[in-house]
Amino acid sequence: MKQFDVVIAGGAMAGMTLALAINKLSSQPLSVAVIEPFQVDHQAHPGFDSRSIALSYGTVEILKRLELWQEIAKVATAIEHIHVSDRSHAGMTDIRTQEVGVDALGYVVELADVGRIYHQQVQLDADITVLHAAVELVQRSESKVTIELSDGESIEGKLLVAADGAISTCCQQLGMELSEHDFEQVAVIANITTQVPHQGRAFERFTEQGPLALLPMSQGRMSLVWCLTPERAKQIIAESDEQFLSELQSAFGWRLGKLHQTGQRASYPLLLRYRKQNISHRFAIVGNAAQTLHPIAGQGFNLGIRDVATLAECIAGASQDPGSYHTLKQFKVARSEDRDATIAMTSALVHIFSNDYLSLRIGRNLGLFSMDNLPLLKTPLLRRTLGLVAR
């Protein structure tokens, strides 16, 4: 039976970042296994139909420290200006690189590009083994975790990390309780082109149904995340490209001129999924397996990377046993405040900005106006948006 120091279930962004981070920080090499059922797609990714994520300034600083940013930077588009507004109302605020004193407020990357970069880096790391299988069974003893795989193989590790998504097989195997709240919204995503170049601008616009975000991408494209009621999303998905762009134009406005072209649309329901316990005996949880957030303010992935960085630091600081109680307790305590605060903030923003009640409409417009004119109000939210939070 193959034995590893750390076994990571899930080879997407959180899992691969952790796998690469551990030995960037450790003074002596640790053997790492990544269990990932899906092969990395080597085909060219269709430009209009690839998913994108926004990396906060804080996340980029973490990736730099882990020596992972240099290659990703080549395929990243800088966010230099964020414009936040409320549809049909006066409230708005702007955040610019000049007032924050940074080169970029964040960056937008396509997942397919990062996947290819990580795949290449993992292949060059002799201490990382990728196993193309699924987790079938997890069993724990005092000093190790045994994982049975779908290909019939079994492996052992001192620590198992669940990075296998919101519906985590590992968490289900070990009975880790999952809390769930349905926001009763669906995110419609697509890539579009605009008449006016984005010039590094990102937009978040609040509508009576939910937030609409446009993020700058390479080749003049923009990544759309449009949060709607389930019924409205179903209609939008079924519409022709022309009708879809017309409705999007009406909701977003004309700050980027005419919206020209859209790629294939996709959608997914928006839920808060949260596991209060992010550790158990020889077991830790990171990324979407620990918490899946509403996309408002783009917090979810960046919170997950802070999970990953902290766990990698705790593992690197452990003397011989990365799965020891002391190591995992240290990880849990370090992540508690940030997790709770970020989840509370995103859920509150959804409540405040996803309806058209008169009292909340007045309140949020006063809030946006105040943020734009009173730096003391703007700074705390801005720091969390930029990912400048204590770990």
Side-chain angles (χ1 to χ4, degrees):
M1 191 180 296
K2 291 180 181 175
Q3 297 179 326
F4 298 92
D5 292 307
V6 181
V7 177
I8 302 168
M13 282 290 291
M16 282 299 195
T17 304
L18 178 61
L20 289 162
I22 287 171
N23 283 325
K24 299 284 188 183
L25 299 175
S26 299
S27 57
Q28 53 188 13
L30 296 175
S31 57
V32 179
V34 179
I35 305 170
E36 174 51 61
F38 302 104
Q39 298 275 354
V40 174
D41 183 10
H42 296 283
Q43 302 302 313
H45 208 280
F48 276 104
D49 303 325
S50 53
R51 286 188 301 146
S52 300
I53 52 172
L55 307 179
S56 71
Y57 174 85
T59 293
V60 171
E61 291 301 300
I62 289 171
L63 294 175
K64 284 179 181 176
R65 180 167 170 253
L66 298 174
E67 301 175 14
L68 297 174
W69 176 244
Q70 186 174 359
E71 290 302 312
I72 296 174
K74 297 174 184 177
V75 297
T77 301
I79 300 173
E80 299 175 7
H81 175 190
I82 300 173
H83 181 82
V84 184
S85 62
D86 198 4
R87 183 173 181 260
S88 302
H89 304 292
M92 63 178 61
T93 189
D94 283 280
I95 305 166
R96 302 172 190 271
T97 52
Q98 296 93 321
E99 67 178 282
V100 183
V102 295
D103 292 333
L105 301 170
Y107 292 83
V108 180
V109 295
E110 294 178 56
L111 284 172
D113 288 335
V114 181
R116 283 193 291 271
I117 290 167
Y118 276 1
H119 179 70
Q120 291 164 1
Q121 293 188 348
V122 164
Q123 284 187 315
L124 297 173
D125 192 326
D127 296 307
I128 300 175
T129 302
V130 179
L131 304 170
H132 290 295
V135 173
E136 291 282 335
L137 183 65
V138 177
Q139 295 178 306
R140 293 179 290 180
S141 65
E142 182 183 348
S143 60
K144 65 185 179 184
V145 184
T146 303
I147 304 105
E148 294 183 17
L149 304 177
S150 57
D151 61 3
E153 189 175 359
S154 292
I155 61 172
E156 290 180 352
K158 296 175 184 174
L159 171 67
L160 171 62
V161 181
D164 51 345
I167 310 300
S168 165
T169 301
C170 293
C171 291
Q172 289 175 341
Q173 282 272 329
L174 299 179
M176 303 296 289
E177 184 180 348
L178 177 67
S179 299
E180 193 170 284
H181 171 71
D182 190 344
F183 289 113
E184 297 180 354
Q185 291 182 348
V186 170
V188 174
I189 60 174
N191 293 342
I192 64 168
T193 55
T194 59
Q195 179 183 9
V196 177
H198 59 63
Q199 295 179 315
R201 290 177 291 173
F203 298 85
E204 183 138 29
R205 189 156 173 77
F206 299 111
T207 76
E208 57 275 12
Q209 293 205 0
L212 184 165
L214 281 169
L215 302 174
M217 295 175 64
S218 61
Q219 301 168 348
R221 300 166 297 158
M222 299 204 82
S223 174
L224 168 71
V225 181
W226 191 1
C227 302
L228 299 159
T229 63
E231 298 78 18
R232 189 74 186 96
K234 192 174 180 182
Q235 294 170 355
I236 287 286
I237 288 287
E239 288 175 350
S240 67
D241 287 357
E242 292 74 22
Q243 190 173 1
F244 170 72
L245 287 170
S246 175
E247 303 230 16
L248 178 59
Q249 189 90 65
S250 176
F252 175 70
W254 294 84
R255 286 183 176 84
L256 293 169
K258 187 173 177 58
L259 306 180
H260 275 317
Q261 187 178 358
T262 178
Q264 181 179 335
R265 279 156 268 163
S267 66
Y268 57 92
L270 296 177
L271 302 98
L272 167 63
R273 290 189 171 111
Y274 172 64
R275 298 183 201 274
K276 187 171 184 179
Q277 297 296 329
N278 62 346
I279 65 166
S280 182
H281 176 63
R282 298 205 168 271
F283 183 65
I285 314 172
V286 297
N288 283 344
Q291 65 271 320
T292 306
L293 309 187
H294 190 287
I296 195 168
Q299 291 293 302
F301 174 77
N302 296 291
L303 176 61
I305 285 294
R306 296 199 291 275
D307 287 346
V308 163
T310 302
L311 182 58
E313 288 164 359
C314 292
I315 290 170
S319 53
Q320 297 293 324
D321 188 354
S324 71
Y325 172 79
H326 173 76
T327 302
L328 295 177
K329 180 75 172 178
Q330 185 184 19
F331 168 65
K332 179 183 179 179
V333 170
R335 295 304 304 136
S336 177
E337 186 177 340
D338 182 20
R339 288 184 77 213
D340 291 347
T342 305
I343 290 167
M345 184 197 78
T346 54
S347 297
L349 286 174
V350 175
H351 175 66
I352 293 168
F353 285 104
S354 292
N355 61 67
D356 215 31
Y357 295 137
L358 180 62
S359 58
L360 287 176
R361 193 171 68 213
I362 293 170
R364 71 193 184 209
N365 278 274
L366 284 172
L368 287 172
F369 177 80
S370 298
M371 276 182 63
D372 211 36
N373 291 277
L374 298 172
L376 280 175
L377 289 178
K378 195 171 187 175
T379 300
L381 182 61
L382 178 57
R383 289 188 66 81
R384 192 157 292 278
T385 301
L386 294 178
L388 297 175
V389 295
R391 284 192 290 114

